[in-house]
Amino acid sequence: KAGVTQTPRYLIKTRGQQVTLSCSPISGHRSVSWYQQTPGQGLQFLFEYFSETQRNKGNFPGRFSGRQFSNSRSEMNVSTLELGDSALYLCASSSTGAGTNSPLHFGNGTRLTVT
Amino acid sequence: TQLLEQSPQFLSIQEGENLTVYCNSSSVFSSLQWYRQEPGEGPVLLVTVVTGGEVKKLKRLTFQFGDARKDSSLHITAAQPGDTGLYLCAPIQGAQKLVFGQGTRLTINP
């Protein structure tokens, strides 16, 4: 069974640009969660999608957005990039959703560097 | 607002030693998960504890869920270099999200 796939692995962008990250969940998983990981803040929850609906959102500005497609693949978009957006972005899929006893299966992340 | 604290933040020990890391919350939670993250990879689930007072063993790792369901500990016996990583706890409280602690960064020196 293929794991969670995130593309690209690395991205370098300039302040003010926008970026789109992609996540393909494990086959059959309908929940995809996104997290931002930085050394100072740890793993911060961005949002969770289940069957194309956003069910929960973390405390991030509106520049961070996401969507989920009918095949459960998900994308997140960050507009007007700031230096502080440099981070490892992780997505995780789950069969029943985040916040349940079902495990989150993480991808290896996209490392975003904003210069 | 739930406060979640993991301690210690950093731990560096020699191969063969024992260690314990802790996860404490200001709130009661229904269950809790522990994940380990190795460099360059995403976190991987180690265990889910669901009953107050529960003890679960995974080879040399022993996980305990506090009786009051507000804390948990992870004990590693005879640590090995392969145990190196970031250990994250995540209390489960529904709400369609999983909140992680800051983690304990463990280094096992050969």
Side-chain angles (χ1 to χ4, degrees):
Chain A
K1 203 174 189 181
V4 177
T5 303
Q6 289 189 247
T7 56
R9 280 301 304 271
Y10 302 94
L11 262 179
I12 300 176
K13 290 285 188 179
T14 305
R15 267 182 303 176
Q17 289 185 314
Q18 74 162 17
V19 66
T20 299
L21 313 182
S22 179
C23 173
S24 293
I26 289 173
S27 177
H29 285 186
R30 293 193 290 165
S31 166
V32 173
S33 303
W34 288 89
Y35 288 83
Q36 180 194 68
Q37 188 174 32
T38 59
Q41 298 296 317
L43 264 174
Q44 300 282 302
F45 172 77
L46 281 157
F47 25 68
E48 194 240 14
Y49 286 87
F50 190 92
S51 294
E52 301 180 67
T53 300
Q54 185 182 90
R55 297 201 298 186
N56 206 342
K57 190 177 191 307
N59 294 325
F60 280 82
R63 301 184 296 106
F64 291 81
S65 62
R67 58 179 176 168
Q68 187 180 32
F69 303 96
S70 58
N71 61 359
S72 292
R73 191 177 70 84
S74 178
E75 290 181 346
M76 70 162 281
N77 184 275
V78 188
S79 62
T80 319
L81 284 166
E82 301 177 359
L83 294 178
D85 297 332
S86 294
L88 180 66
Y89 290 88
L90 291 160
C91 90
S93 77
S94 165
S95 56
T96 57
T100 69
N101 285 347
S102 176
L104 292 188
H105 298 267
F106 283 85
N108 288 333
T110 294
R111 170 77 61 187
L112 172 64
T113 302
V114 182
T115 62
Chain B
T1 303
Q2 171 192 286
L3 294 175
L4 187 63
E5 184 177 339
Q6 287 192 245
S7 61
Q9 203 173 348
F10 300 94
L11 184 59
S12 179
I13 62 172
Q14 294 300 119
E15 182 177 359
E17 294 183 355
N18 302 331
L19 66 109
T20 303
V21 299
Y22 301 91
C23 174
N24 293 287
S25 171
S26 58
S27 304
V28 176
F29 34 86
S30 57
S31 53
L32 179 140
Q33 293 178 331
W34 283 92
Y35 289 78
R36 178 172 67 205
Q37 183 177 20
E38 298 183 20
E41 299 181 6
V44 175
L45 178 71
L46 294 173
V47 76
T48 302
V49 285
V50 299
T51 306
E54 180 178 5
V55 176
K56 274 192 174 177
K57 292 196 174 187
L58 185 67
K59 297 183 182 177
R60 294 175 294 98
L61 278 60
T62 302
F63 303 84
Q64 186 158 8
F65 197 15
D67 291 337
R69 312 172 77 91
K70 294 172 69 173
D71 60 274
S72 181
S73 64
L74 157 59
H75 182 80
I76 300 179
T77 303
Q80 298 177 1
D83 296 325
T84 292
L86 178 65
Y87 288 79
L88 297 156
C89 70
I92 294 177
Q93 294 179 298
Q96 294 90 43
K97 70 176 182 180
L98 200 59
V99 176
F100 288 85
Q102 290 276 63
T104 292
R105 191 164 297 279
L106 175 64
T107 302
I108 310 300
N109 303 300

